[in-house]
Amino acid sequence: TNPMTFLVEIIGYVFRAVSTYSTGELVPYIMQDIFLVLPPVFFAATLYMTYSHVVIAIHGEPFSPISMRWATRLFVTGDIVCLLIQGNAAGLLAKPETTKTGDYIIIAGLILQIFIFVYFLICCLLFNMRFRVQVGETEATAHVPWQACLNMLYVTSMAILARNIFRVVEFAMQSVDDAGYLVTHEWPLYAFDGALMLLVMVVFFFWYPSQLHTKSRDSMVELTTSGTPFAGNDQRPCSKGSSHGGHL
């Protein structure tokens, strides 16, 4: 999913560059909106599944605010709804008479995604605090870099959350005034969208827990290195150079 998401993001900025020099053409503008709005939805789905995998890997289900049976289903379902809302709304941007309607629907999809993300972060933080207090101090899971994995989720989630807030403001301004500051200036998009998504890509590339492997069809997973469980000094943390359960 992540390589495809990176590609979609790059295509979006290619169309953005084309639309900058082809202001009289509608297609490049619509395409850049579509390809730049959707990538964070795919990134979010990966974050939701990673949370479930980490919790299951360290047998931390009792400490999670939401059941693992429903966690991935709930968050990913919400993600799919956001994807459908924003994807269909992007199609409305093709016609001048439905552009504002498309903007409003995209705003609604982004706000829904923000609420889902905030709830997700609350779940992560509550789990983190409960697990660290009850189990983490016993070093029973010292062989699993669970804290580094959660830190990766915090960094990428906050970046996507900040990006979504910016896009809500941008589309809101655009729906009111086509000559608004965020519509007529390029730097805010690159600073509050492009740079943040680049940060997410870099963190995913260097710190994504690639050691997560599926053990069975019911999504039970464990953190492993080269097909073997983490054990003693042979473990490899999620973050390069991080210690057991260390921070990014």
Side-chain angles (χ1 to χ4, degrees):
T1 300
N2 290 337
M4 289 300 297
T5 306
F6 300 158
L7 180 60
V8 170
E9 185 80 17
I10 292 172
I11 292 174
Y13 277 100
V14 169
F15 277 112
R16 179 77 178 188
V18 172
S19 66
T20 300
Y21 297 99
S22 305
T23 54
E25 298 182 19
L26 187 60
V27 173
Y29 174 78
I30 296 171
M31 295 303 291
Q32 63 97 13
D33 260 347
I34 293 174
F35 282 95
L36 291 182
V37 164
L38 300 182
V41 179
F42 297 118
F43 279 126
T46 302
L47 296 181
Y48 301 147
M49 290 185 286
T50 300
Y51 169 74
S52 296
H53 290 172
V54 170
V55 172
I56 293 172
I58 57 180
H59 306 291
E61 294 92 331
F63 305 99
S64 176
I66 183 171
S67 166
M68 289 301 97
R69 173 176 294 183
W70 295 104
T72 301
R73 296 177 185 176
L74 175 63
F75 290 127
V76 173
T77 298
D79 217 40
I80 292 173
V81 171
C82 292
L83 175 63
L84 293 176
I85 291 174
Q86 296 176 53
N88 290 327
L92 297 176
L93 302 177
K95 299 180 180 179
E97 61 270 21
T98 59
T99 298
K100 288 189 179 298
T101 301
D103 286 338
Y104 293 142
I105 296 176
I106 288 178
I107 291 171
L110 288 169
I111 291 176
L112 175 60
Q113 191 174 6
I114 288 173
F115 278 116
I116 294 173
F117 242 95
V118 169
Y119 179 59
F120 171 68
L121 282 172
I122 291 174
C123 287
C124 288
L125 287 169
L126 288 176
F127 169 77
N128 200 159
M129 291 186 293
R130 293 173 181 177
F131 191 77
R132 177 173 287 278
V133 171
Q134 299 296 327
V135 179
E137 294 179 354
T138 68
E139 298 186 356
T141 58
H143 62 292
V144 178
W146 60 273
Q147 186 65 68
C149 293
L150 290 178
N151 289 343
M152 184 275 292
L153 292 182
Y154 295 147
V155 172
T156 51
S157 295
M158 290 303 298
I160 294 175
L161 182 61
R163 176 264 178 201
N164 284 346
I165 293 174
F166 164 74
R167 294 295 278 182
V168 167
V169 175
E170 180 190 30
F171 278 102
M173 291 183 66
Q174 180 175 297
S175 65
V176 174
D177 182 10
D178 289 336
Y181 186 86
L182 295 181
V183 180
T184 57
H185 292 75
E186 290 289 305
W187 76 263
L189 179 72
Y190 294 112
F192 299 108
D193 188 325
L196 292 176
M197 288 301 96
L198 178 61
L199 172 64
V200 172
M201 292 181 190
V202 171
V203 172
F204 265 116
F205 182 79
F206 287 104
W207 288 286
Y208 179 76
S210 58
Q211 302 94 337
L212 287 172
H213 295 292
T214 301
K215 290 178 64 180
S216 64
R217 295 179 62 184
D218 60 356
S219 297
M220 292 298 289
V221 295
E222 63 180 358
L223 291 173
T224 60
T225 300
S226 301
T228 60
F230 280 109
N233 295 325
D234 293 330
Q235 77 152 346
R236 183 178 57 191
C238 289
S239 174
K240 290 186 177 179
S242 66
S243 61
H244 300 338
H247 296 273
L248 290 175

